[in-house]
Amino acid sequence: MATLDEPGGAGQGGGTDVLDRELEKLLNEEQLEDGDHERFSHYVPKNKIIESALTGKPVRALCGKKWTPGRDPEKFPICPDCQKIYERMRDE
């Protein structure tokens, strides 16, 4: 990992303002993921679903997908990654 003082490190060409903007951009991008969550139903703790419904706060599924639920999960197949994780949890 390059430090601020190393050649090619984050300290060249922009300073902390650029780093702050890049970090903020990465954090914002990670908050809601586009992708296949539209195609699958995911396993999420029931209390998190209820909290999301009340607050609009995104949830994180067992597989790591993060999104704000808004569709009927009965209309979609179960996410294969969530299913595998859930089955491993039940076996323990």
Side-chain angles (χ1 to χ4, degrees):
M1 172 179 268
T3 65
L4 294 175
D5 299 326
E6 291 178 338
Q12 292 184 335
T16 59
D17 288 340
V18 171
L19 290 175
D20 290 342
R21 285 193 303 269
E22 289 177 4
L23 178 58
E24 184 176 341
K25 180 181 175 194
L26 286 172
L27 290 173
N28 287 335
E29 287 174 354
E30 203 227 325
Q31 286 185 5
L32 298 176
E33 295 179 3
D34 290 330
D36 66 1
H37 73 266
E38 295 288 333
R39 300 183 318 185
F40 294 113
S41 293
H42 294 274
Y43 285 116
V44 177
K46 187 178 268 188
N47 65 326
K48 295 295 183 184
I49 295 287
I50 294 168
E51 180 183 338
S52 177
L54 296 173
T55 65
K57 183 177 172 183
V59 295
R60 185 170 303 273
L62 292 179
C63 68
K65 293 285 182 195
K66 190 172 184 180
W67 82 106
T68 303
R71 297 181 184 221
D72 181 1
E74 298 293 324
K75 294 182 179 180
F76 302 94
I78 296 172
C79 167
D81 294 333
C82 280
Q83 183 71 38
K84 288 176 192 171
I85 295 166
Y86 179 74
E87 288 173 3
R88 278 191 304 224
M89 290 170 55
R90 287 182 40 195
D91 292 339
E92 292 179 356

